[in-house]
């Protein structure tokens, strides 16, 4: 146990935890986007898929993994952001980026935006089926605690303000995912030139797939193509 | 050529510093940056004031003494070049330059552009050595070393400990320096027996000194006068994970 604590206390250890949980959350986002593509195959498929995810075993296993990952990812990041701020109490009058990028330097801002996106998304489409029945939604439908995934999604995203919110939120997610996916490969020790090139390609492809898929779903609902 | 300088002047560790303007009307483009400051200092001294303090020793780009920020870039605008090897021909007549010391909690300002980098020494003391009684020097080719390991180790060993990586890093992280010192020994057969304990101790010391952490911005690599690669940082991370989580019994640790 002792060595786990000191691992977590070191900046490299915390980074590794942030990277591993980031990888899990990346997997979750990808899986979630692919599942939602069923909006294109029709209400029946999507609602059956929704009902499957609502089996208690599946639901709670999924929730536990995602919640644990998020808690570790966020507490780790907060620790690291603090450590960085402490490490340079007095900033520069002039500082010019040499290799860092807009998305690498805005991780600490895109992260909270993604968190807000996550919370709002839950309020939009998940909490309506929970005991409190709170839903930020024009007309939330559910039967016996199982939400009508297709109707709820298409109705929500057909409203322009919500569609706009989802598109903007996904762009922030893209900024976060791209640097995150490439960076976690390095944090987890990939150092060969070929490995890193592959990691960069994979990070771009994954980011484009997830963000592109989510935005395609949003636009399809907004334009009432589904 | 004429240069307008804004130089950070600070009287001591706890003094409040500020930029001071200097006009340098007759700079030769063949001067090195430090020679320009030498000339300026002579003038400042002749006016009865304290010269601008800056560190330097070899002035050949090999000792790692010199270094400060010029217009927001560590060691100035020329890649792979220390400030002592930077020449005024890299600038234009009439340029206005801002000279600032490295800024990091672990590198407190001693005076003007001079910072205290003994934190680096303590990181090296924590594990940047090998413990063997070597006797007389062994025959040069007695220990076979893979060519690519030798090359990577040699590249890492080129680090001169100037601190530009810390200065440039948005997180004030010393990862590039520490990773270079680790890779230099960890890639060679002589470094193997203490590889894990070295990886652990040097990373821990880096934290103790109050440096930030690495978020893979790569600004360090871009300003490093020796072109140390950020891939060394990935190797350091892996070494640390192996040392703390994957090795059992944990070599050299006190609780086994
Ligand atoms: S890694 Fe490069 S920038 Fe950092 S101390 Fe070594 S030589 Fe200087
Ligand atoms: S004075 Fe030695 S490296 Fe610049």
């Amino acid at each position: 146990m002792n060595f786990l604590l000191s691992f977590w206390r070191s900046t490299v250890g915390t980074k590794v935890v942030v990277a591993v949980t980031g990888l899990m959350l990346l997997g979750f986002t990808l899986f979630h986007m692919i599942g939602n593509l069923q909006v294109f195959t029709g209400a029946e498929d999507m609602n059956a898929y929704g009902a499957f995810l609502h089996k208690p075993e599946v639901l709670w296993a999924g929730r536990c993994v995602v919640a644990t990952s998020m808690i570790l990812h966020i507490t780790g990041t907060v620790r690291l952001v603090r450590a960085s701020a402490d490490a340079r109490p007095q900033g520069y009058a002039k500082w010019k980026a040499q290799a860092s990028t807009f998305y690498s330097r805005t991780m600490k801002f895109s992260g909270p935006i993604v968190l807000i996106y996550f919370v709002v998304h839950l309020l939009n489409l998940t909490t309506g089926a929970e005991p409190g029945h709170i839903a930020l939604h024009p007309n939330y439908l559910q039967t016996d605690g199982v939400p009508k995934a297709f109707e709820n999604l298409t109705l929500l995203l057909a409203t322009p303000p919500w569609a706009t919110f989802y598109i903007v939120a996904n762009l922030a997610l893209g900024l976060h995912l791209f640097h995150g996916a490439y960076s976690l490969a390095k944090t987890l020790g990939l150092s060969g030139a070929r490995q890193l090139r592959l990691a960069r390609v994979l990070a771009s492809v994954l980011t484009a797939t997830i963000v592109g898929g989510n935005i395609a779903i949003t636009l399809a609902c907004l334009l009432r193509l589904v | 050529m004429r240069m307008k300088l804004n130089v950070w002047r600070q009287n001591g560790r706890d003094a409040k510093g500020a930029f001071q303007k200097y006009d340098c009307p007759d700079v030769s483009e063949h001067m090195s940056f430090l020679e320009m400051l030498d000339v300026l200092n002579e003038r400042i001294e002749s006016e009865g004031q304290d010269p601008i303090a800056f560190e330097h020793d070899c002035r050949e780009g090999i000792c790692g003494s010199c270094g400060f920020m010029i217009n927001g870039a560590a060691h100035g605008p020329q890649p792979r070049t220390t400030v002592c090897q930077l020449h005024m021909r890299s600038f234009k007549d009439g340029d206005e330059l801002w000279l600032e010391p490295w800024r990091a909690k672990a590198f407190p300002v001693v005076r003007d552009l001079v910072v205290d980098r003994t934190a680096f020494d303590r990181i090296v003391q924590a594990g940047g050595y090998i413990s063997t009684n070597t006797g007389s020097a062994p025959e040069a080719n007695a220990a076979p070393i893979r060519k690519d390991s030798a090359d990577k180790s040699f590249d890492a060993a080129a680090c001169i400990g100037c601190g530009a990586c810390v200065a440039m890093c948005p997180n004030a992280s010393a990862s590039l320096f520490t990773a270079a010192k680790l890779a230099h020994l960890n890639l060679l057969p002589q470094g193997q027996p203490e590889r894990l304990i070295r990886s652990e101790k040097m990373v821990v010391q880096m934290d103790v000194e109050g440096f930030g952490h690495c978020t893979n911005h790569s600004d360090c690599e871009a300003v490093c006068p020796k072109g140390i690669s950020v891939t060394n940082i990935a190797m350091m991370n892996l070494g640390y994970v192996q040392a703390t989580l994957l090795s059992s019994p944990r070599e050299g640790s006190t609780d086994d």
Side-chain angles (χ1 to χ4, degrees):
Chain A
M1 276 329 273
N2 242 344
F3 74 94
L4 275 185
L5 252 185
S6 52
F7 181 75
W8 168 255
R9 283 211 195 101
S10 81
T11 51
V12 173
T14 314
K15 259 158 56 84
V16 168
V17 172
V18 170
V20 170
T21 51
L23 187 62
M24 312 217 2
L25 292 167
L26 175 73
F28 165 71
T29 341
L30 179 67
F31 172 76
H32 189 51
M33 187 282 293
I34 293 174
N36 280 354
L37 285 180
Q38 292 176 80
V39 87
F40 293 112
T41 66
E44 224 162 273
D45 284 343
M46 181 128 182
N47 285 340
Y49 167 70
F52 165 73
L53 290 185
H54 264 266
K55 282 193 188 154
E57 327 71 275
V58 182
L59 187 66
W60 287 103
R63 283 180 180 175
C64 283
V65 173
V66 173
T68 317
S69 302
M70 284 190 73
I71 290 168
L72 288 172
H73 194 73
I74 293 169
T75 39
T77 309
V78 168
R79 246 180 63 80
L80 292 175
V81 169
R82 280 227 192 112
S84 285
D86 288 350
R88 179 167 294 135
Q90 176 165 14
Y92 288 110
K94 290 254 186 290
W95 184 90
K96 211 161 85 217
Q98 304 294 313
S100 58
T101 53
F102 175 73
Y103 39 86
S104 77
R105 288 190 309 272
T106 50
M107 288 299 273
K108 54 178 181 270
F109 305 113
S110 56
I113 295 177
V114 172
L115 179 63
I116 294 172
Y117 170 22
F118 179 80
V119 173
V120 171
H121 188 50
L122 288 184
L123 289 171
N124 282 151
L125 294 167
T126 305
T127 50
E130 299 300 317
H133 297 304
I134 311 160
L136 272 182
H137 195 280
N139 181 21
Y140 195 83
L141 301 173
Q142 52 135 336
T143 33
D144 307 326
V146 178
K148 287 200 176 306
F150 181 84
E151 287 77 4
N152 289 342
L153 183 71
T154 47
L155 224 103
L156 180 79
L157 294 179
T159 56
W162 280 119
T164 315
F165 171 81
Y166 274 85
I167 290 170
V168 173
N170 266 287
L171 295 176
L173 176 69
L175 287 180
H176 198 74
L177 284 186
F178 179 66
H179 181 72
Y182 184 46
S183 181
L184 74 84
K186 295 191 198 169
T187 300
L188 296 179
L190 286 199
S191 62
R194 207 167 343 115
Q195 293 172 328
L196 284 175
R197 233 173 299 131
L198 191 72
R200 199 172 180 87
V201 171
L202 214 63
S204 328
V205 171
L206 277 176
T207 307
T209 312
I210 295 173
V211 174
N214 284 345
I215 291 183
I217 294 168
T218 311
L219 287 178
C221 296
L222 178 69
L223 304 174
R224 297 177 200 269
L225 301 175
V226 288
Chain B
M1 50 202 287
R2 181 182 214 112
M3 287 283 139
K4 281 180 234 139
L5 302 185
N6 298 277
V7 184
W8 183 262
R9 302 300 310 262
Q10 184 173 333
N11 235 327
R13 213 168 260 245
D14 303 313
K16 223 174 95 60
F19 283 102
Q20 190 160 335
K21 271 192 190 311
Y22 296 96
D23 192 27
C24 304
D26 41 7
V27 175
S28 153
E29 59 183 14
H30 302 302
M31 283 177 171
S32 76
F33 203 95
L34 299 187
E35 281 162 351
M36 175 190 62
L37 290 183
D38 290 337
V39 171
L40 173 61
N41 269 345
E42 275 180 32
R43 196 181 84 206
I44 295 176
E45 271 181 290
S46 72
E47 289 165 0
Q49 276 149 18
D50 286 336
I52 300 164
F54 60 89
E55 245 186 293
H56 60 101
D57 188 13
C58 70
R59 299 210 178 192
E60 294 184 322
I62 53 170
C63 74
S65 299
C66 66
F68 43 80
M69 304 292 282
I70 304 173
N71 282 3
H75 287 301
Q78 184 141 312
R80 297 226 180 171
T81 307
T82 54
V83 98
C84 61
Q85 287 291 297
L86 178 67
H87 288 82
M88 296 316 294
R89 52 180 168 271
S90 304
F91 299 93
K92 287 199 306 290
D93 185 31
D95 274 358
E96 178 163 22
L97 305 179
W98 297 76
L99 276 50
E100 275 182 272
W102 297 160
R103 294 208 189 278
K105 189 174 79 182
F107 284 171
V109 172
V110 176
R111 191 182 183 86
D112 301 340
L113 303 174
V114 178
V115 299
D116 178 350
R117 285 171 294 186
T118 46
F120 270 9
D121 299 340
R122 288 187 292 272
I123 293 177
V124 171
Q125 279 161 8
Y129 50 78
I130 57 166
S131 318
T132 38
N133 296 321
T134 50
S136 55
E139 210 263 303
N141 291 325
I145 303 173
R146 286 173 51 122
K147 170 84 170 106
D148 61 333
S149 301
D151 285 349
K152 282 186 190 155
S153 166
F154 192 76
D155 287 347
C159 167
I160 54 177
C162 63
C165 44
V166 173
M168 200 68 227
C169 174
N171 304 309
S173 166
S175 292
L176 193 65
F177 167 80
T178 311
K181 296 300 170 202
L182 277 166
H184 149 210
L185 295 172
N186 283 355
L187 288 165
L188 296 178
Q190 294 87 335
Q192 292 318 303
E194 290 159 300
R195 186 173 75 87
L196 294 178
I197 189 73
R198 173 183 306 117
S199 301
E200 181 173 352
K201 283 193 168 165
M202 288 177 74
V203 165
V204 168
Q205 190 63 33
M206 176 174 88
D207 287 349
V208 168
E209 298 295 341
F211 290 105
H213 67 104
C214 172
T215 48
N216 299 310
H217 288 300
S218 299
D219 278 328
C220 53
E221 182 185 85
V223 296
C224 173
K226 298 297 151 187
I228 304 291
S229 162
V230 290
T231 54
N232 289 304
I233 299 178
M235 287 199 280
M236 167 176 82
N237 295 341
L238 198 61
Y240 180 77
V241 171
Q242 285 173 338
T244 50
L245 295 185
L246 308 180
S247 73
S248 77
R250 300 205 311 113
E251 176 200 347
S253 70
T254 41
D255 51 47
D256 56 36

